[in-house]
Each structure stands twice: as C-alpha cells, then as structure tokens.
Amino acid sequence: MSRGALLFAFNSSKVDYYAMAEYTAKRINHFLNIPVSIITNKDSIPNTTNYKFDNVITMSADDSNFFRDTVWFNKGRYQAYDLTPYDETLLMDVDYMVNSDRLLKVFEVMSDYACHESTAFMMVPDAAYELLGPNSFPILWATIIGFRKTKKSEHLFQCMKMVQQNYNHYANIYGFVPEIYRNDYSLTIAHRILNGHYPCIDEILPWNLMHIGLKTKVYPNFKDPLNTEFTIVYDNWKRNKIKKEYITIKDIDFHVINKDIFREIIT
Amino acid sequence: MDTQSLLAEAKAKFAHNSAKHYLQEKFSNKLLIAEQGGLWRADPNTINFLNCFDTETLVLLDIYNNPVEVNRTDLLNKLIEIYTKVMHEWHTEWKELETKR
C-alpha cells in the first residue's frame, strides 16, 4: 500500500508556485516522512533545483480562470485521482505550512476521502465559518484532501469535474457568485451530491483547519528551513485605531490564505 | 531585524485570548485517537463513561457516530494515557503563556 502527498503547482506571472511546492515538499518529507509528487507544467519547472520530487507529472495549465486581471491556475484539481501514483494520497495546497505530524492522522481517520469543514483563524477566535452562499451551508476546504483509490473517491473527483465544467449552473443553484472558480466550492457540491444532499460527517476531518488570514503577518523565529516556531502579528482595529497584537506559536500546522505572506516566510 | 526587536518597535502586545485559542486548537487535536476500529477523543466524558461499566466489552459511539464494540478496559487505559500526556503538555505551554506580557 503506497502512501504519499500530491501538490499542484503552476507558476503565474506573479507567483512562483513551484518554489512554494518545493518548500512545502521538504517539510512534508521531514515531518510526515512520506514522498511528494508534483503536478505541474513544463514552464514552471526551474532549470536548476536542489529538490527532487518523487514524481514530476506534467500537464498543460488551464488558464481560463480569470479574477482581478490575474489568471488563477487552480482548475483541473479533479485529475488528482487519475494522476496520483499512490494508493493513499494527501492532496494539498502548496501554501499549507506543515509543522508537525498532524496530517498523518488523516490516513487513520479516512475511509474513502477526508477533508476539512470547520476552520479557525489565528488571532481571530470568533471568526465565522464561510458559507457556500447566503443562507447556505458551510463550505468544505480543498486545502487538504486525503483519499484512497476507491469507487467513492473516484466518484467525488468525477463530480468535481462535472461542477467545474458547469460552474455557472451550480452557482445559480447554490446562490454563489461565480466570478472565480474555487476548488472548495466544487468539493463542497460534489460531497453533497455523493451523499444524497445530506450533511454527511463521515468524510469530515474532526479538527479545524487553521488559517492565517488577512491583516496578519507571520515571522519565522529562526532561520532554519525546518523551523516550527513563528510569531504572528495581527492588526486589531479598535475605535478606529490599529492595535498590534502578537502571539508565538510552535509545532502547529497552518494554511496561509495570502500568498504574499507565504512567500515572505519562505524567503 | 529579529522578531523581538520587531515586536518592540511595533509596540505589539501579547494577545492572551488568541494564544489560549491557539493552544486549544493545537492540543485538542492531539486528544484524538484511532483505536479498535473507531475514532475517539480522550476527554473526561468518554473516560468517565467507560469507567461507569464493569463489563469486558462495550458498544459506544465514536466521534463519527458509528457504534463500535470495544474492549472497555483496553480503550479506557489508552484514553487515560493519551489524556494525561497531552494535558500535561498543554499545561506546560499554558504556564509559559501566563508569564508573557
């Protein structure tokens, strides 16, 4: 039974996703002790690199996702099922900072697939869950998807493909704005369809996905590339003034929503 | 600039509530354990419930609401072990936090 992580990384004009994937892959190797494969395009692969992925799978990038004059190369995630070289896969966003072996628990808890529904924001303890549409249900997060090669997982990814290809139609049904394609939305809808539109919890990871949100800065406490201690500084607005607040965190994974913050951490 | 200088320059204050929340996120996950075909949380409720019986086996709902037949004593011992270890670590980090200003 093979086990590994899979990352998608297509460089845009603004963001070097391949470099982010290399950084994340090294941490996955170290903290989870599993191999990492990458799905990318030839243009993203640098001429020289000091990291060797387990497998480099190339495909052409889908550049049809425009938002605010930028192309977002996040389509095609549904192909993970067919392209993964592993029996058990952790499909991850490249901006997920692995600081512990927490994700190994995904393999323990999932039967077919597993992903996050509940979230927490660092420095914002009372942040609300994001809903699919107004008066709708909470979204699932495609940041981490664990899956086995089973029929149900295959159907999930086939459904995600269907949602991606008919995105405006599903936006109309669920009442969200389809200005940008989001894998979180297609995962949420596919999961609902697969479970008869019933809020099934069997595939939900029983812990929160920790986000680093906006108005937040992250400073590594040490220069070590495998550093797990960070200082989080947050601009807390009170009475029209910014009050800077901070905490120090250690050995906890987090997802960085703002790509610029992630790039600052790794440089 | 190191982080301490940066914090001093920004006049940032330590956020106790956020730190407390972060610790809860960090350690509550460590209380989860997959054992005997179910997923359990090593919390006082589950430990006390297991302790209420004297049978060898017991059927109880795991955190996914699946009924699982377990060896009661084995699961109880495992949960106590996890609970003690994790709560001790949590307490140690909590004490460190309390000293920060």
Side-chain angles (χ1 to χ4, degrees):
Chain A
M1 181 76 74
S2 60
R3 183 180 277 188
L6 186 63
L7 307 174
F8 279 67
F10 299 98
N11 288 354
S12 68
S13 56
K14 293 179 181 168
V15 182
D16 186 350
Y17 284 98
Y18 195 95
M20 288 166 65
E22 281 191 337
Y23 179 85
T24 301
K26 287 174 189 170
R27 300 180 78 91
I28 294 169
N29 291 151
H30 180 78
F31 292 107
L32 307 180
N33 196 23
I34 56 174
V36 182
S37 292
I38 187 168
I39 295 173
T40 186
N41 59 346
K42 285 184 178 154
D43 292 344
S44 300
I45 302 172
N47 293 329
T48 55
T49 173
N50 62 357
Y51 181 77
K52 191 174 184 307
F53 283 98
D54 189 29
N55 295 278
V56 178
I57 301 156
T58 53
M59 57 182 269
S60 55
D62 186 333
D63 58 2
S64 62
N65 199 23
F66 276 99
F67 184 60
R68 289 179 188 158
D69 299 327
T70 304
V71 180
W72 294 77
F73 293 104
N74 60 345
K75 283 189 172 178
R77 194 71 64 94
Y78 63 82
Q79 294 172 90
Y81 184 87
D82 292 324
L83 295 176
T84 182
Y86 310 113
D87 299 318
E88 296 181 335
T89 304
L90 265 183
L91 174 59
M92 296 171 58
D93 279 0
V94 294
D95 51 9
Y96 185 89
M97 186 69 69
V98 180
N99 287 310
S100 70
D101 62 358
R102 168 183 274 211
L103 287 180
L104 289 177
K105 276 217 169 85
V106 176
F107 295 114
E108 286 181 33
V109 304
M110 71 175 174
S111 47
D112 296 290
Y113 63 89
C115 55
H116 281 287
E117 181 182 69
S118 57
T119 56
F121 275 82
M122 201 78 81
M123 305 298 283
V124 192
D126 52 354
Y129 291 167
E130 185 177 346
L131 303 177
L132 187 60
N135 309 315
S136 190
F137 40 80
I139 64 164
L140 302 183
W141 288 84
T143 309
I144 302 289
I145 306 175
F147 66 92
R148 295 183 208 282
K149 286 272 195 175
T150 65
K151 268 288 164 212
K152 189 166 183 182
S153 297
E154 187 180 10
H155 291 157
L156 177 83
F157 286 100
Q158 284 172 345
C159 263
M160 285 178 71
K161 178 183 180 183
M162 180 174 71
V163 175
Q164 183 189 304
Q165 291 175 341
N166 301 278
Y167 200 59
N168 288 344
H169 167 69
Y170 285 100
N172 196 26
I173 289 176
Y174 288 98
F176 61 85
V177 182
E179 57 185 354
I180 183 171
Y181 171 75
R182 283 185 62 180
N183 286 301
D184 306 317
Y185 288 7
S186 64
L187 173 67
T188 307
I189 295 165
H191 172 74
R192 300 284 293 202
I193 291 171
L194 233 59
N195 290 290
H197 299 278
Y198 184 77
C200 178
I201 63 164
D202 287 0
E203 285 87 14
I204 306 300
L205 292 171
W207 66 87
N208 292 338
L209 173 62
M210 180 62 87
H211 291 303
I212 299 283
L214 306 174
K215 298 190 292 180
T216 312
K217 290 272 183 189
V218 182
Y219 302 97
N221 283 11
F222 303 102
K223 288 285 180 195
D224 181 355
L226 295 171
N227 162 60
T228 64
E229 202 173 309
F230 301 85
T231 297
I232 314 290
V233 182
Y234 177 66
D235 290 344
N236 194 2
W237 280 85
K238 275 186 180 171
R239 297 188 193 102
N240 292 328
K241 283 184 181 173
I242 292 177
K243 269 183 66 180
K244 286 206 179 294
E245 296 180 341
Y246 81 95
I247 61 171
T248 305
I249 63 169
K250 193 169 68 176
D251 304 335
I252 186 169
D253 294 3
F254 54 84
H255 172 230
V256 184
I257 288 179
N258 186 335
K259 307 289 175 287
D260 292 335
I261 294 176
F262 195 92
R263 272 160 42 203
E264 282 170 16
I265 295 172
I266 71 176
T267 50
Chain B
M1 186 186 293
D2 64 24
T3 40
Q4 284 310 315
S5 319
L6 187 140
L7 293 170
E9 192 152 302
K11 294 180 182 168
K13 288 196 171 171
F14 188 77
H16 277 275
N17 280 344
S18 298
K20 187 176 166 182
H21 175 242
Y22 138 71
L23 280 187
Q24 186 173 359
E25 290 293 333
K26 178 178 173 180
F27 286 104
S28 58
N29 169 56
K30 292 187 175 188
L31 293 170
L32 290 173
I33 174 180
E35 191 79 11
Q36 299 190 40
L39 189 70
W40 315 100
R41 190 179 298 280
D43 58 11
N45 278 353
T46 316
I47 289 169
N48 276 331
F49 188 74
L50 285 166
N51 222 2
C52 288
F53 294 82
D54 55 5
T55 52
E56 190 184 338
T57 61
L58 186 67
V59 177
L60 69 161
L61 294 176
D62 77 348
I63 63 170
Y64 284 120
N65 290 332
N66 296 317
V68 184
E69 184 173 30
V70 296
N71 180 305
R72 188 187 62 85
T73 319
D74 287 353
L75 184 59
L76 177 61
N77 289 340
K78 192 73 192 174
L79 294 192
I80 290 173
E81 180 192 325
I82 299 284
Y83 179 84
T84 311
K85 179 173 175 286
V86 173
M87 291 309 294
H88 183 74
E89 289 174 18
W90 191 339
H91 183 247
T92 305
E93 285 207 29
W94 169 247
K95 295 295 272 185
E96 278 177 36
L97 278 185
E98 279 199 315
T99 61
K100 294 202 174 184
R101 283 288 175 269

